[in-house]
Amino acid sequence: MTMLAALLLLCCRLLPSSNTATATPTPKIDRKHVVSRFNPTRNASSPTTPMQVGNGDFAFGADITGLQTFLPFGTLSSWGWHNASLPTTPGQTAPEDFTGLDWWTHGRLVNYDQPNPAEPEISQWLIANPHRINLGRVGFVFFDRQGRGNLNVSEEDLTGRFQQLDLYSGTLTSQFSVNGTAVTVQTWVDPGSDTVAVKVRSELLARGQLGFFFDYPYATGESKFEAPFVGRWDAVEKHRTELSVSRWGKQARIMHQMDNTTYYTLLRWEGRGASITGPLEGSHRYILQLDIGQDSFELTATFSPSSDCKIPTSVDYVNHASTRWWKDYWETGAFIDLTATGNATAIEIQRRIILSQYLLAVNEAGRDPPQESGLVNNGWYGKFHMEMYLWHSAHWIPWRKTPLLRRSIGVYDRFLPSSIERARHQGYDGARWGKMSDPTGRSAPGEINSLLIWQQPHVFYFAEMEYKYAVANGHHEEQKSVLQKWDNILTESANFMTSFAFWNESTGVYDLGPPMYPASENTPPNGTTNPTFELAYWRFGLGIAATWKKRLGQPVPETWTHVAEHLALLPTTSSPATDNKTTYTVYEGISHMWTDPETVSDHPALVAAYGLLPPSPALNKPIISATAAQVARTWNFTDCWGWDFPMLAMTAARLGDVDAAVAYLVNENFAFDDVGMPVGPAGKAPTPYFPGSGGLLLAVGMLAGGWGGIGEPGEKGYGNGEYGRAPGFPVEWDVRAEGFVGVL
Ligand SMILES: *[C@@H]1O[C@H](CO)[C@@H](O)[C@H](O)[C@H]1NC(C)=O
Ligand SMILES: *[C@@H]1O[C@H](CO)[C@@H](O)[C@H](O)[C@H]1NC(C)=O
Ligand SMILES: *[C@@H]1O[C@H](CO)[C@@H](O)[C@H](O)[C@H]1NC(C)=O
Ligand SMILES: *[C@@H]1O[C@H](CO)[C@@H](O)[C@H](O)[C@H]1NC(C)=O
Ligand SMILES: *[C@@H]1O[C@H](CO)[C@@H](O)[C@H](O)[C@H]1NC(C)=O
Ligand SMILES: *[C@@H]1O[C@H](CO)[C@@H](O)[C@H](O)[C@H]1NC(C)=O
Ligand SMILES: *[C@@H]1O[C@H](CO)[C@@H](O)[C@H](O)[C@H]1NC(C)=O
Ligand SMILES: *[C@@H]1O[C@H](CO)[C@@H](O)[C@H](O)[C@H]1NC(C)=O
């Protein structure tokens, strides 16, 4: 037994045998101090991103007023989705009418979910439906001294604007003055329900000059991207709202119906009388006007698909619940503090870390994998991408916040039957995971969508990391349950991966593709074979599959072993462009690898074979080193996407170049705005593009917690969560890290 294993055993004896699975040692870093230093402030609304409060399944985007008074930022959820009516073209009136396309695949026709030019309407309907909806808008209305509303007040009319988000308690405080009278607004979201709570203080309230509006947009699948705002406000006749006011007062409910989607907003207020009326002519806007009297007002708005939402709530309750939840969030799990380093890069990385920690808990800790823009606005119709799930969410494990990952990881169980059916329909064994998905698990038609394969081995990464986490926690029961819960999913995944690999008689190896798309989605699919990253990932996945069976005391299927041992070698090239050094290539036989502008753009995923993935005998270190150097020299980084930079940082760290690792984390093409929203890649996706934030935290988890390859309890690399130096940061930096679980 190694020393570390002995320590782990000792630790687990001393720990209480709770099931909370956040066995972090007592924090030594003054976390509140570090977190609060990065509280974002604004004195004007940003035209592109809101300040946000939320709970992972529901988030509220606010403008400078703390509500959505001037800008209709989103109120998005995990559960709010809408279908447009189905096409009426004969033969294209139901999802079942869609037939996709057949492509030759190793001598046989395989049916892929690709838009069929003969079925354009139903193809497009399946891409755009269901789409995520903006649940509604809450803002201030201003009245004059005579109580006349609808004043033409704009943000510029407000003076003394100042807004601060207190990250440590999840409280957004906004202050401004109207004609010299101050208004203070506090906004929270309940961690346990989809409730936004608002507390307002102002003389304007006492004079009846400040009230609220509630408004509802229609949802359409007209645009792939809806940013910065979601929904249509000019299609009033297409949807319906209905107000019911409680007979006992201080409570009202607004029903919103759009085609087959119906949900409710339950409004509750405290302390004084108010009357709600509406909708205003030609709109779905309702007005809450307060009785003259006190100078404070408290309002909660709970959004729910259920008409009899009985969640007891109040502003006080939400305030306390939010404060408790966020304190626990910051004080448990891992933490890193780079602020003692007097280096601007270190401080900027710390800012990105803290703001990403906040925004990922607000936007990406829900019951489904997150969409690229979280709960801020819509991209790809609000759907989520199974290949991006890892970059969004794997970081929870090294940061020892696995319970937040467990809210959504059940997606693999839920989608297993439809994924088995997808594989069966195409003549493969096992489960083929889909791509661009809605909560039902249907994968949207698309040429790239249907031909990407790198989402398949993600289950092995998640499973192995979860096992590693259980080991780090020293909970034997948790280890056993992790092994059990993933067994079926891993088995079906490995079965697909082995049946997908094509035995090439003439070369005596298994090939991946064609047709296929690698992670960099810019190669000719019918000519793409054996991409470096996918080959490495297949080998990694099948390796874990076998290890899993051994841990469970079960036999390893021979086909798995045969495929794993006979996968094609990673493709290489060497030419004057690489100073005749050997490098890996994106895929086998690619021409002009380092000289064609097209091949050195998009995701440089070939480096992830040694960066995201642990060392493997199939990978040659001098070659990966030359490849990383060649990428650094020739890649078109302006054409990269957020997560590419953390991926490059992880590779650099594993190669021992920690200066390059931290430089990638602040690369000029990897930007975060003033409130920490990861800026979308120019011309490709709007801000925010959250795989950048998730990737950042995964990379930081690695740099802080270390990396150790795959192993058994007690072997090198199983982070023990002790306070100490982080191996992936420059030695000159003063780095304090605690609680991390190392990555694979
Ligand atoms: C708003 O903030 C900016 C940046 O912090 C500052 O330069 C500017 O003076 C502030 N304006 C007001 C009106 O406070
Ligand atoms: C949209 O329609 C599809 C196909 O009929 C169905 O599976 C899904 O549940 C519907 N979603 C919503 C939000 O209505
Ligand atoms: C709405 O629901 C009805 C009844 O279930 C169904 O027939 C119709 O196809 C649905 N509409 C859409 C757009 O999904
Ligand atoms: C790939 O081959 C299929 C036939 O198997 C063809 O229909 C398709 O257009 C080809 N795709 C491209 C991008 O060339
Ligand atoms: C501020 O005062 C001006 C002048 O009296 C008036 O026209 C305007 O409506 C007031 N604004 C608000 C929001 O009450
Ligand atoms: C910050 O640290 C990095 C990595 O060690 C180094 O390259 C950079 O020069 C430092 N910057 C300053 C301003 O000291
Ligand atoms: C076998 O591999 C060779 C070399 O990569 C390739 O040219 C050939 O097309 C493959 N055979 C089949 C049947 O795919
Ligand atoms: C790099 O990518 C950007 C963005 O896609 C593009 O505009 C530019 O032309 C590319 N540069 C080269 C040298 O290909």
Side-chain angles (χ1 to χ4, degrees):
M1 192 192 300
T2 65
M3 186 95 133
L4 186 54
L7 266 174
L8 275 171
L9 276 177
L10 192 66
C11 282
C12 87
R13 297 250 160 71
L14 299 175
L15 287 169
S17 60
S18 78
N19 259 334
T20 55
T22 43
T24 322
T26 314
K28 290 189 179 164
I29 300 169
D30 182 349
R31 297 183 177 196
K32 183 175 184 182
H33 180 77
V34 179
V35 171
S36 305
R37 173 169 173 176
F38 298 97
N39 283 344
T41 62
R42 274 180 177 170
N43 54 21
S45 301
S46 151
T48 50
T49 62
M51 287 262 203
Q52 268 188 314
V53 279
N55 63 25
D57 269 309
F58 170 84
F60 182 84
D63 67 15
I64 196 69
T65 64
L67 296 179
Q68 298 152 336
T69 307
F70 301 116
L71 296 175
F73 283 119
T75 307
L76 268 58
S77 67
S78 298
W79 51 264
W81 295 80
H82 168 256
N83 277 331
S85 55
L86 282 155
T88 50
T89 315
Q92 298 187 51
T93 57
E96 299 72 43
D97 293 339
F98 170 76
T99 62
L101 290 178
D102 295 337
W103 278 23
W104 287 105
T105 305
H106 293 296
R108 67 190 181 93
L109 281 173
V110 168
N111 185 252
Y112 296 96
D113 280 351
Q114 296 183 6
N116 184 331
E119 306 161 348
E121 282 91 358
I122 194 65
S123 299
Q124 183 55 33
W125 190 91
L126 287 168
I127 292 169
N129 290 282
H131 38 262
R132 202 183 295 254
I133 65 177
N134 179 6
L135 296 175
R137 178 174 176 192
V138 183
F140 285 116
V141 265
F142 302 93
F143 300 94
D144 66 15
R145 285 178 181 273
Q146 283 70 47
R148 284 187 299 246
N150 264 334
L151 298 186
N152 220 354
V153 180
S154 69
E155 182 166 327
E156 289 64 46
D157 296 328
L158 309 186
T159 55
R161 297 177 308 233
F162 183 72
Q163 184 171 49
Q164 181 164 44
L165 178 61
D166 180 29
L167 301 166
Y168 197 77
S169 67
T171 309
L172 176 62
T173 302
S174 313
Q175 290 166 292
F176 53 88
S177 292
V178 184
N179 277 349
T181 307
V183 180
T184 302
V185 187
Q186 287 172 292
T187 319
W188 300 269
V189 158
D190 185 4
S193 74
D194 300 335
T195 300
V196 52
V198 193
K199 182 172 191 165
V200 189
R201 267 160 300 166
S202 175
E203 262 303 307
L204 290 181
L205 294 167
R207 290 191 235 132
Q209 284 184 266
L210 192 61
F212 298 85
F213 73 80
F214 310 94
D215 207 346
Y216 298 86
Y218 188 59
T220 76
E222 284 162 6
S223 314
K224 178 172 170 182
F225 296 106
E226 290 185 286
F229 309 124
V230 181
R232 272 186 64 174
W233 304 88
D234 62 350
V236 173
E237 71 295 342
K238 292 201 150 137
H239 55 133
R240 212 163 68 78
T241 51
E242 197 175 283
L243 172 71
S244 14
V245 181
S246 157
R247 278 198 291 139
W248 298 281
K250 298 191 181 174
Q251 190 161 316
R253 197 183 75 188
I254 300 168
M255 184 275 308
H256 184 204
Q257 187 195 357
M258 295 186 278
D259 308 303
N260 282 357
T261 298
T262 303
Y263 63 93
Y264 303 83
T265 315
L266 183 61
L267 302 168
R268 277 174 279 210
W269 53 91
E270 283 154 53
R272 61 193 294 183
S275 56
I276 182 161
T277 51
L280 298 181
E281 182 77 23
S283 77
H284 290 288
R285 182 172 287 223
Y286 293 81
I287 306 288
L288 184 72
Q289 194 161 6
L290 318 186
D291 298 347
I292 290 172
Q294 295 154 19
D295 62 359
S296 75
F297 191 71
E298 300 186 3
L299 171 79
T300 62
T302 302
F303 293 86
S304 169
S306 150
S307 64
D308 92 274
C309 162
K310 293 234 170 63
I311 298 154
T313 195
S314 69
V315 168
D316 257 357
Y317 173 84
V318 173
N319 172 2
H320 288 128
S322 169
T323 303
R324 247 195 336 271
W325 194 90
W326 282 101
K327 178 171 193 281
D328 186 62
Y329 177 72
W330 293 113
E331 295 295 342
T332 59
F335 199 83
I336 187 165
D337 177 14
L338 308 171
T339 58
T341 306
N343 175 311
T345 299
I347 304 297
E348 174 57 13
I349 292 176
Q350 185 74 44
R351 184 186 80 90
R352 293 170 178 214
I353 291 170
I354 297 292
L355 294 175
S356 297
Q357 285 187 267
Y358 179 80
L359 288 174
L360 292 172
V362 165
N363 288 283
E364 310 226 337
R367 67 182 192 191
D368 288 314
Q371 74 158 322
E372 310 307 51
S373 51
L375 301 170
V376 177
N377 55 48
N378 275 353
W380 291 269
Y381 306 98
K383 297 186 183 187
F384 48 85
H385 300 296
M386 295 303 285
E387 88 285 13
M388 294 312 300
Y389 188 24
L390 181 132
W391 288 109
H392 281 284
S393 303
H395 63 89
W396 294 121
I397 305 178
W399 283 80
R400 233 182 254 252
K401 295 192 178 297
T402 307
L404 295 181
L405 175 66
R406 286 180 181 155
R407 290 182 180 175
S408 62
I409 201 81
V411 72
Y412 286 117
D413 270 317
R414 266 163 54 211
F415 289 4
L416 188 61
S418 59
S419 300
I420 289 173
E421 176 52 28
R422 182 178 296 112
R424 192 204 58 75
H425 179 70
Q426 296 185 328
Y428 296 113
D429 298 335
R432 180 172 199 161
W433 303 106
K435 204 271 188 194
M436 171 177 155
S437 303
D438 65 71
T440 68
R442 196 174 53 215
S443 190
E447 183 175 303
I448 293 171
N449 290 355
S450 66
L451 293 170
L452 272 191
I453 63 167
W454 64 286
Q455 71 271 41
Q456 305 304 328
H458 282 351
V459 289
F460 298 100
Y461 191 92
F462 279 122
E464 186 64 17
M465 278 301 295
E466 228 196 305
Y467 185 69
K468 187 166 179 171
Y469 166 85
V471 170
N473 277 345
H475 289 172
H476 201 66
E477 284 309 307
E478 191 186 9
Q479 282 170 50
K480 278 203 328 221
S481 89
V482 167
L483 288 176
Q484 288 301 336
K485 107 173 166 182
W486 283 100
D487 184 33
N488 200 18
I489 293 166
L490 299 194
T491 300
E492 295 296 351
S493 300
N495 285 342
F496 170 73
M497 285 161 58
T498 49
S499 87
F500 180 85
F502 174 77
W503 178 246
N504 187 321
E505 294 279 354
S506 54
T507 55
V509 299
Y510 286 95
D511 290 332
L512 299 183
M516 64 160 296
Y517 274 100
S520 48
E521 300 171 353
N522 59 355
T523 73
N526 288 326
T528 300
T529 315
N530 293 330
T532 290
F533 174 54
E534 281 75 2
L535 275 178
Y537 210 9
W538 237 246
R539 197 173 268 112
F540 162 86
L542 293 175
I544 304 277
T547 303
W548 213 264
K549 288 294 178 198
K550 287 178 200 147
R551 285 177 186 147
L552 284 165
Q554 294 173 18
V556 180
E558 268 172 42
T559 48
W560 296 3
T561 314
H562 197 260
V563 173
E565 286 174 357
H566 296 85
L567 272 175
L569 298 179
L570 302 187
T572 59
T573 188
S574 91
S575 70
T578 63
D579 293 333
N580 298 314
K581 287 196 179 121
T582 304
T583 70
Y584 291 119
T585 62
V586 172
Y587 63 92
E588 189 175 295
I590 187 172
S591 48
H592 312 295
M593 174 62 222
W594 298 108
T595 50
D596 178 349
E598 186 61 27
T599 62
V600 292
S601 62
D602 207 297
H603 308 296
L606 70 175
V607 301
Y610 189 78
L612 180 64
L613 304 184
S616 148
L619 201 84
N620 175 303
K621 203 168 160 194
I623 299 182
I624 196 73
S625 181
T627 308
Q630 190 70 17
V631 165
R633 255 199 309 278
T634 56
W635 210 266
N636 184 353
F637 290 126
T638 58
D639 191 53
C640 283
W641 300 67
W643 53 275
D644 294 337
F645 298 98
M647 176 173 76
L648 289 158
M650 291 167 81
T651 304
R654 236 188 257 269
L655 288 169
D657 191 350
V658 294
D659 287 335
V662 297
Y664 276 127
L665 297 183
V666 290
N667 185 287
E668 59 183 339
N669 298 294
F670 185 44
F672 290 76
D673 81 0
D674 61 327
V675 296
M677 297 274 180
V679 174
K684 300 200 227 192
T687 299
Y689 179 70
F690 279 119
S693 313
L696 172 77
L697 290 194
L698 181 60
V700 169
M702 173 177 175
L703 304 191
W707 51 92
I710 304 154
E712 293 305 322
E715 286 180 15
K716 188 166 167 286
Y718 270 81
N720 59 1
E722 277 175 6
Y723 176 90
R725 263 217 97 256
F729 287 95
V731 285
E732 309 81 54
W733 287 20
D734 185 347
V735 178
R736 290 142 202 212
E738 58 195 18
F740 285 93
V741 177
V743 302
L744 303 177

